[in-house]
């Protein structure tokens, strides 16, 4: 408890409560259920940041889905994106002919998701859509928007609900803006 209290103290402010997140994820699940009514989409979780969102989202979808996991790296311990995306873990099943939904924690510059979308299109997926929990459009530097997102946020570094800073804060149930005093250290 003491550690979590300390983590809350590192937040400049809370952006979304547990209840707001739950409601937004349920709404998104209903939308995806309707859009993929006659299909069985393959939802691919982009580790690690999307893991909490992913596990809630797949349970909010009524229609059958398959799941898989990939790991892509574009951040070290800092708060600004690098421009290179390294695929560290590929899906365990073929995406050929599948309707893929890439599930990501946040679309920031868009570099990571653009690279991943192209990768799966080139690998033979029938379709590739993007579900990003958070959308930070003011930072976009590539022509790509998420097909689905729960919240649009300002240009700030956020943590919680799977999102980390230096592997901390992922287990917070809420999403908040990290205080600049933490990453200025
Ligand atoms: P992009 O390629 O769109 O610039 O961002 C890719 C990755 O950067 C995201 O998947 C996420 O891991 C990380 N990222 C971008 N903005 C934030 C943020 O505000 N907070 C955290 N924790 N990670 C972020």
């Amino acid at each position: 408890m003491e550690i979590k209290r300390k983590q809350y103290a590192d937040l400049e402010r809370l952006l979304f409560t547990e209840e707001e997140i739950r409601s937004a994820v349920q709404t998104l699940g209903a939308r995806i259920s309707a859009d993929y009514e006659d299909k069985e989409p393959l939802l691919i979780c982009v580790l690690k940041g999307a893991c909490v969102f992913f596990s809630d989202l797949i349970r909010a979808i009524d229609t059958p889905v398959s799941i898989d996991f990939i790991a892509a790296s574009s951040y070290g311990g800092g708060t600004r994106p690098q421009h290179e995306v390294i695929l560290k873990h590929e899906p365990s099943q073929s995406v050929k002919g599948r309707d893929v939904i890439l599930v990501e924690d946040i679309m920031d510059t868009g570099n990571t998701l653009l690279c991943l979308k192209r990768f799966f299109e080139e690998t033979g997926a029938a379709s590739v859509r993007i579900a990003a929990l958070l959308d930070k459009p003011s930072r976009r530097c590539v022509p790509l928007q998420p097909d689905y997102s729960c919240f649009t946020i300002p240009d700030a570094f956020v943590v919680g609900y799977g999102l980390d800073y230096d592997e901390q804060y992922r287990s917070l149930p809420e999403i908040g803006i990290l205080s600049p005093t933490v990453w200025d250290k």
Side-chain angles (χ1 to χ4, degrees):
M1 281 307 280
E2 190 50 44
I3 292 170
K4 275 220 165 143
R5 259 200 296 277
K6 199 175 155 298
Q7 292 195 329
Y8 283 118
D10 288 342
L11 300 183
E12 186 178 277
R13 69 183 164 98
L14 270 187
L15 272 185
F16 305 111
T17 64
E18 265 189 277
E19 188 41 48
E20 287 167 332
I21 297 169
R22 190 176 305 120
S23 163
V25 173
Q26 288 300 322
T27 303
L28 180 54
R31 247 187 94 191
I32 292 176
S33 306
D35 289 354
Y36 288 83
E37 205 181 351
D38 304 320
K39 297 175 177 160
E40 186 181 318
L42 172 61
L43 274 81
I44 299 182
C45 174
V46 185
L47 295 169
K48 300 175 197 171
C51 68
V52 181
F53 172 46
F54 186 77
S55 63
D56 285 343
L57 180 63
I58 58 173
R59 287 176 293 169
I61 298 174
D62 290 338
T63 51
V65 298
S66 307
I67 65 166
D68 218 315
F69 299 87
I70 57 170
S73 174
S74 61
Y75 262 72
T79 61
R80 293 284 146 185
Q82 296 159 4
H83 287 274
E84 236 174 78
V85 174
I86 304 157
L87 207 56
K88 296 197 289 193
H89 174 73
E90 293 193 17
S92 62
Q93 57 196 289
S94 170
V95 301
K96 228 176 164 68
R98 301 298 306 271
D99 292 300
V100 169
I101 304 177
L102 286 170
V103 181
E104 176 63 300
D105 53 1
I106 184 166
M107 190 188 280
D108 185 29
T109 65
N111 275 308
T112 309
L113 283 164
L114 185 65
C115 289
L116 295 176
K117 188 173 158 75
R118 283 188 182 148
F119 174 79
F120 288 111
E121 283 168 349
E122 284 161 13
T123 319
S127 66
V128 183
R129 285 189 180 161
I130 291 165
L133 170 71
L134 305 172
D135 185 14
K136 216 194 270 184
S138 58
R139 298 242 319 138
R140 198 77 84 254
C141 62
V142 295
L144 187 70
Q145 309 304 330
D147 299 283
Y148 305 103
S149 80
C150 290
F151 303 105
T152 298
I153 63 165
D155 182 6
F157 193 83
V158 297
V159 294
Y161 196 67
L163 290 111
D164 78 311
Y165 173 68
D166 234 355
E167 295 302 329
Q168 300 293 306
Y169 312 100
R170 289 194 200 277
S171 62
L172 294 180
E174 305 88 352
I175 296 170
I177 296 178
L178 188 66
S179 169
T181 57
V182 177
W183 47 270
D184 274 350
K185 272 178 205 162

Coordinates of all heavy atoms in Angstrom, one line a residue, residues 74-75 81 85 104-113 136 139 153 156-159 163-165, ligand 1:
S74 N 9.9 0.8 -28.7 CA 10.2 2.1 -29.2 C 10.5 3.1 -28.1 O 10.8 4.3 -28.4 CB 9.0 2.7 -30.1 OG 7.9 2.9 -29.3
Y75 N 10.5 2.7 -26.9 CA 10.8 3.5 -25.7 C 11.8 2.8 -24.9 O 11.8 1.6 -24.7 CB 9.6 3.7 -24.9 CG 8.9 5.1 -25.1 CD1 8.1 5.3 -26.3 CD2 8.9 6.1 -24.2 CE1 7.5 6.4 -26.5 CE2 8.3 7.3 -24.4 CZ 7.6 7.5 -25.6 OH 6.9 8.6 -25.8
P81 N 9.6 9.4 -27.9 CA 9.7 8.2 -28.7 C 11.0 8.2 -29.5 O 11.5 9.3 -29.9 CB 8.5 8.3 -29.6 CG 8.2 9.7 -29.7 CD 8.5 10.3 -28.3
V85 N 11.5 1.0 -34.6 CA 10.6 0.1 -34.0 C 11.2 -1.3 -34.1 O 11.5 -1.8 -35.3 CB 9.2 0.1 -34.6 CG1 8.3 -1.0 -34.0 CG2 8.6 1.5 -34.3
E104 N -3.3 -1.6 -28.8 CA -2.1 -0.8 -28.3 C -2.6 0.1 -27.1 O -3.7 0.5 -27.0 CB -1.5 0.0 -29.4 CG -0.4 0.9 -29.1 CD 0.9 0.2 -28.6 OE1 0.8 -0.5 -27.6 OE2 1.9 0.4 -29.2
D105 N -1.6 0.4 -26.2 CA -2.0 1.3 -25.1 C -2.2 2.7 -25.6 O -3.2 3.4 -25.1 CB -0.9 1.2 -24.0 CG 0.5 1.5 -24.5 OD1 0.7 1.8 -25.7 OD2 1.4 1.5 -23.7
I106 N -1.4 3.2 -26.4 CA -1.5 4.6 -26.8 C -0.9 4.9 -28.2 O 0.1 4.3 -28.6 CB -0.7 5.5 -25.7 CG1 -0.9 7.0 -26.0 CG2 0.7 5.2 -25.6 CD1 -0.5 7.9 -24.8
M107 N -1.6 5.7 -29.0 CA -1.0 6.1 -30.2 C -0.5 7.6 -30.0 O -1.2 8.5 -29.7 CB -2.0 6.1 -31.4 CG -1.2 6.3 -32.7 SD -2.3 6.5 -34.2 CE -2.7 4.9 -34.6
D108 N 0.9 7.7 -30.1 CA 1.5 9.0 -29.8 C 2.0 9.5 -31.2 O 1.2 10.1 -31.9 CB 2.7 8.7 -28.9 CG 3.4 9.9 -28.4 OD1 2.8 11.0 -28.3 OD2 4.6 9.8 -28.1
T109 N 3.2 9.4 -31.6 CA 3.6 9.8 -32.9 C 3.0 9.0 -34.0 O 2.8 9.4 -35.1 CB 5.2 9.7 -33.1 OG1 5.5 8.3 -33.0 CG2 5.9 10.5 -32.0
G110 N 2.6 7.7 -33.7 CA 2.0 6.8 -34.7 C 3.1 5.9 -35.3 O 2.7 5.0 -36.1
N111 N 4.4 6.2 -35.1 CA 5.4 5.4 -35.7 C 5.3 3.9 -35.5 O 5.4 3.1 -36.4 CB 6.8 5.8 -35.2 CG 7.3 7.0 -35.9 OD1 7.4 7.0 -37.1 ND2 7.7 8.0 -35.2
T112 N 5.1 3.5 -34.2 CA 5.0 2.1 -33.9 C 3.9 1.4 -34.6 O 4.1 0.4 -35.3 CB 4.8 1.9 -32.3 OG1 5.8 2.7 -31.7 CG2 4.9 0.5 -31.9
L113 N 2.7 2.0 -34.5 CA 1.5 1.3 -35.1 C 1.6 1.3 -36.6 O 1.1 0.4 -37.3 CB 0.3 1.9 -34.6 CG -0.1 1.5 -33.2 CD1 -1.1 2.3 -32.5 CD2 -0.5 0.0 -33.2
K136 N -3.2 10.4 -28.7 CA -2.5 11.7 -28.4 C -2.3 12.4 -29.8 O -1.1 12.4 -30.3 CB -1.2 11.4 -27.7 CG -0.8 12.4 -26.7 CD 0.6 12.3 -26.3 CE 0.9 11.3 -25.1 NZ 2.3 11.2 -24.7
R139 N 0.6 14.9 -31.2 CA 2.0 14.5 -31.4 C 2.2 13.6 -32.7 O 3.3 13.2 -33.0 CB 2.4 13.6 -30.2 CG 2.4 14.4 -28.9 CD 3.7 14.5 -28.3 NE 4.5 13.3 -28.4 CZ 5.7 13.2 -28.6 NH1 6.4 14.3 -28.9 NH2 6.4 12.0 -28.7
I153 N -6.3 12.4 -25.5 CA -5.6 13.1 -24.4 C -4.7 14.2 -24.9 O -4.2 14.1 -26.1 CB -4.8 12.1 -23.5 CG1 -3.7 11.4 -24.3 CG2 -5.7 11.0 -22.9 CD1 -2.6 10.7 -23.4
A156 N 0.9 15.0 -23.0 CA 1.4 14.8 -21.6 C 1.8 13.4 -21.5 O 1.3 12.5 -22.2 CB 0.4 15.2 -20.6
F157 N 2.7 13.1 -20.6 CA 3.2 11.7 -20.4 C 2.3 11.0 -19.3 O 2.3 11.5 -18.2 CB 4.6 11.6 -20.0 CG 5.2 10.2 -20.1 CD1 5.6 9.7 -21.3 CD2 5.2 9.4 -19.0 CE1 6.1 8.4 -21.4 CE2 5.7 8.1 -19.1 CZ 6.1 7.6 -20.3
V158 N 1.6 10.0 -19.7 CA 0.6 9.4 -18.8 C 1.0 8.0 -18.4 O 1.8 7.3 -19.1 CB -0.8 9.3 -19.5 CG1 -1.3 10.7 -19.7 CG2 -0.8 8.5 -20.7
V159 N 0.6 7.6 -17.2 CA 0.9 6.3 -16.7 C -0.3 5.7 -16.1 O -1.3 6.3 -15.8 CB 2.0 6.3 -15.6 CG1 3.4 6.7 -16.2 CG2 1.7 7.2 -14.5
L163 N 0.2 1.3 -18.5 CA 1.2 2.2 -19.1 C 2.3 2.5 -18.0 O 1.9 2.8 -16.8 CB 0.6 3.5 -19.6 CG -0.2 3.4 -20.8 CD1 -1.7 3.7 -20.5 CD2 0.3 4.4 -21.9
D164 N 3.5 2.5 -18.4 CA 4.6 2.6 -17.4 C 5.5 3.8 -17.6 O 5.4 4.5 -18.6 CB 5.5 1.4 -17.4 CG 6.5 1.5 -18.6 OD1 6.0 1.8 -19.8 OD2 7.7 1.3 -18.4
Y165 N 6.3 4.1 -16.6 CA 7.5 4.9 -16.7 C 8.6 4.1 -16.0 O 8.4 3.9 -14.8 CB 7.3 6.3 -16.1 CG 8.6 7.1 -16.1 CD1 9.2 7.5 -17.3 CD2 9.4 7.3 -15.0 CE1 10.4 8.1 -17.4 CE2 10.6 7.9 -15.0 CZ 11.1 8.3 -16.2 OH 12.3 9.0 -16.2
Ligands
LIG1 P1 4.4 6.0 -30.9 O1 5.2 5.1 -31.7 O2 3.0 6.2 -31.3 O3 5.1 7.4 -30.7 O4 4.4 5.5 -29.4 C1 4.6 4.2 -29.1 C2 4.8 3.9 -27.7 O5 5.3 4.9 -26.9 C3 3.5 3.5 -27.0 O6 3.0 2.2 -27.3 C4 3.8 3.7 -25.6 O7 4.5 2.5 -25.1 C5 4.8 4.8 -25.6 N1 4.2 6.1 -25.2 C6 3.8 7.1 -25.9 N2 3.3 8.1 -25.2 C7 3.3 7.6 -23.9 C8 2.8 8.1 -22.7 O8 2.3 9.2 -22.6 N3 3.0 7.3 -21.6 C9 3.6 6.1 -21.6 N4 3.7 5.4 -20.5 N5 4.0 5.6 -22.8 C10 3.9 6.3 -23.9

